[in-house]
């Protein structure tokens, strides 16, 4: 997809640790001002982050906006609420370290993007993190998705979805407990509900 003209972004791709190519836009900034990685929510894509990117660009930050796998321009046939997506985050941070060496990196993640950051392993260190609407556990993630779709029967349906997800994708539920991983971030952290 074409980036909005006023962002002056270039199209980039890099390999995710999950074995897929990730597409994104890199917005240039002032040297030594820092770069911000923007991580969108479930069933969204990088275009959802354009207003944040414009805000940051006006303040001199470079910005990397990516589509998670199975979202936007990227191939993939399943959404794992942060598990596989966490490898896209690690890949994005490695890409930035290579492409903009010496720049401090901050991350803003929304919902699944926040979870994917918290669950990412082996990622380069970051200078600051903002997590919006972080799901404390995958159970709650599914419950809130189901509730927005079907209302009062949500607890029952989310339990079924959870069973189905675990059988299909073999994701241990405790692997996706983001809240337990917050202490490992090792950077100033702002949680926004």
């Amino acid at each position: 997809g074409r980036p909005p003209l006023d962002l002056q972004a270039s199209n980039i791709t890099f390999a995710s640790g999950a074995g897929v190519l990730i597409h994104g836009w890199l917005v240039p900034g002032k040297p030594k001002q820092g770069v911000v990685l923007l991580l969108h929510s479930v069933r969204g894509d990088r275009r959802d982050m354009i207003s944040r990117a414009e805000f940051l660009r006006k303040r001199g930050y470079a910005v990397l906006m990516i589509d998670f796998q199975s979202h936007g321009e990227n191939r993939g046939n399943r959404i794992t609420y942060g598990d596989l997506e966490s490898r896209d985050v690690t890949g994005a941070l490695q890409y930035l370290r290579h492409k903009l060496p010496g720049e401090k990196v901050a991350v803003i993640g929304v919902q699944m993007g926040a979870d994917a950051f918290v669950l990412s392993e082996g990622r380069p260190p970051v200078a600051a993190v903002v997590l919006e609407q972080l799901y404390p556990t995958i159970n709650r993630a599914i419950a809130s998705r189901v509730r927005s779709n079907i209302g009062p029967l949500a607890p029952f349906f989310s339990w079924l979805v959870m069973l189905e997800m675990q059988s299909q994708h073999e994701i241990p539920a405790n692997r996706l407990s983001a809240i337990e991983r917050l202490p490992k971030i090792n950077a100033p952290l702002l949680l926004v509900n």
Side-chain angles (χ1 to χ4, degrees):
R2 280 208 150 131
L5 282 176
D6 55 348
L7 279 182
Q8 298 171 352
S10 48
N11 283 298
I12 61 103
T13 53
F14 60 87
S16 163
V20 290
L21 264 188
I22 298 296
H23 295 265
W25 294 328
L26 184 62
V27 179
K30 291 184 184 142
K32 298 291 172 223
Q33 186 81 4
V35 57
V36 183
L37 171 62
L38 297 179
L39 303 170
H40 66 77
S41 65
V42 71
R43 306 208 193 280
D45 62 45
R46 70 188 107 139
R47 290 170 305 184
D48 300 342
M49 308 302 272
I50 285 173
S51 61
R52 288 176 181 83
E54 286 168 342
F55 174 86
L56 293 163
R57 192 183 92 82
K58 285 183 182 135
R59 282 149 187 83
Y61 295 101
V63 180
L64 176 59
M65 312 158 71
I66 66 166
D67 289 342
F68 282 115
Q69 56 187 287
S70 302
H71 291 78
E73 274 191 83
N74 293 327
R75 292 179 186 281
N77 52 13
R78 57 196 186 140
I79 294 171
T80 61
Y81 295 91
D83 186 52
L84 286 174
E85 295 84 0
S86 68
R87 297 181 206 173
D88 305 343
V89 173
T90 301
L93 291 168
Q94 288 166 340
Y95 171 85
L96 284 175
R97 180 181 251 180
H98 167 76
K99 182 84 178 170
L100 298 172
E103 289 287 353
K104 281 197 159 80
V105 178
V107 176
I108 299 174
V110 180
Q111 206 193 45
M112 182 188 73
D115 269 26
F117 172 78
V118 174
L119 295 170
S120 61
E121 291 173 351
R123 61 175 139 77
V126 296
V129 181
V130 178
L131 302 177
E132 300 178 34
Q133 301 161 23
L134 175 72
Y135 293 136
T137 66
I138 187 67
N139 307 47
R140 210 183 279 183
I142 292 171
S144 88
R145 280 227 37 95
V146 171
R147 193 171 301 116
S148 65
N149 293 336
I150 58 168
L153 291 174
F156 173 70
F157 280 102
S158 54
W159 177 74
L160 288 178
V161 174
M162 189 69 209
L163 286 179
E164 190 240 2
M165 258 184 80
Q166 279 176 276
S167 62
Q168 270 190 359
H169 307 320
E170 291 153 11
I171 306 166
N174 59 357
R175 161 85 181 81
L176 294 181
S177 185
I179 218 85
E180 291 161 24
R181 290 167 175 258
L182 289 182
K184 297 194 176 93
I185 287 178
N186 293 331
L189 171 65
L190 174 62
L191 287 172
V192 182
N193 253 333

